[in-house]
Amino acid sequence: MPIPLVLVHGHPFDHTMWNPQLEAFSGSRRVIAPDLRGYGASPSSAEVTRFEQFAQDLAALLDELGVESCVLAGLSMGGQIVMDFYRQFPARVGGLVLADTFPAPETPEGVEVRHAMADRLLREGMRGYADEVLEKMVAPYASAEVKAHVHRMMTATRPQSAAAALRARAGRPDYRELLTTVTVPALVVVGADDTYTPVADAEAMHAALPDSTLHVIEGTAHMPNLERPKEFNEALESFLARIDSAGG
């Protein structure tokens, strides 16, 4: 049986950012794309306070669904959640996909920026922020349809949930040493024009991971899975085939 694939969305999005991958892979394997705590259709009653709660929520969901082992794929904040999941539950991971993300902890300046942004979102809501960052999340030359989808996800996110995640993310661990100890295959993907997590970050992760493949997707920024789904899916398909052939 093909190993299940779990797709972890970034901030401030929801599971629909993975629509091209759900469409491409759901016919051949079990694909799970949850809304993280506070995002999308997930309950908003208990906001995240510690970053590791995101991974613990995922583990609880996999328990509920009867999934013992999976390939975990995450983009941006989702990639950091994937790293944290491996830190806490390494035996449950058959492979890692780290897309447009980075393992370093927040700098002191970065902590201040994230808390300031959390305050701003609570004060002003999501619309102004979404307008400002849209053409960094996806490239200015991305299709109008992709831009509309990304903008819609951002403006639909509850400010309270986005702020809570920013504060939790500001205190996340350093995953750089962890990456050097990973015992499963990894795929590192990055958009060539990503300014949030540039190609150099992906190259550093690729160098740190004992068994990894690096795939740089031209003509994309921070969300290559949406901007260039064909290229992203081809890289993911090859990686999954390798995991399946090794028995998960």
Side-chain angles (χ1 to χ4, degrees):
M1 285 286 291
I3 190 168
L5 173 64
V6 178
L7 301 168
V8 186
H9 67 77
H11 165 89
F13 307 125
D14 58 46
H15 80 278
T16 67
M17 68 159 277
W18 296 111
N19 281 349
Q21 289 67 51
L22 287 162
E23 183 179 344
F25 294 101
S26 292
S28 58
R29 72 182 63 242
R30 189 174 190 183
V31 183
I32 301 159
D35 284 328
L36 296 170
R37 184 191 297 212
Y39 293 85
S42 68
S44 59
S45 54
E47 308 293 359
V48 68
T49 56
R50 294 173 291 107
F51 192 71
E52 57 263 34
Q53 289 175 293
F54 283 125
Q56 291 161 7
D57 288 348
L58 280 176
L61 175 63
L62 295 180
D63 287 344
E64 190 179 317
L65 297 175
V67 175
E68 293 182 9
S69 178
C70 63
V71 168
L72 263 183
L75 183 141
S76 193
M77 182 181 81
Q80 293 166 338
I81 292 169
V82 163
M83 291 182 249
D84 207 83
F85 189 100
Y86 187 86
R87 180 180 68 86
Q88 297 186 66
F89 311 104
R92 305 191 71 165
V93 181
L96 294 174
V97 181
L98 301 171
D100 299 80
T101 191
F102 65 99
E106 209 59 77
T107 63
E109 297 78 15
V111 170
E112 288 185 13
V113 167
R114 290 204 189 276
H115 282 287
M117 179 58 74
D119 292 340
R120 177 190 165 187
L121 296 181
L122 291 174
R123 193 171 58 245
E124 300 177 9
M126 299 297 293
R127 182 59 184 257
Y129 166 79
D131 290 348
E132 285 173 21
V133 303
L134 178 60
E135 291 193 349
K136 287 182 70 178
M137 292 295 188
V138 296
Y141 49 78
S143 73
E145 182 182 6
V146 165
K147 286 184 180 180
H149 181 186
V150 172
H151 194 269
R152 190 164 57 246
M153 287 189 292
M154 290 194 285
T155 54
T157 297
R158 292 181 288 274
Q160 295 83 356
S161 298
L166 284 167
R167 297 193 203 284
R169 195 176 178 193
R172 70 182 182 277
D174 184 344
Y175 303 113
R176 289 174 293 186
E177 182 68 26
L178 175 74
L179 291 187
T180 67
T181 70
V182 170
T183 59
V184 298
L187 171 65
V188 179
V189 185
V190 67
D193 295 337
D194 191 346
T195 57
Y196 283 123
T197 53
V199 172
D201 288 353
E203 290 172 340
M205 288 194 298
H206 173 53
L209 288 155
D211 179 5
S212 69
T213 303
L214 173 63
H215 199 86
V216 180
I217 300 182
E218 297 297 329
T220 71
H222 194 52
M223 302 183 74
N225 70 300
L226 274 175
E227 297 173 83
R228 292 287 184 273
K230 180 175 181 292
E231 292 87 343
F232 186 94
N233 290 350
E234 285 172 353
L236 181 54
E237 177 64 47
S238 296
F239 180 70
L240 291 170
R242 180 191 165 193
I243 303 292
D244 289 339
S245 67

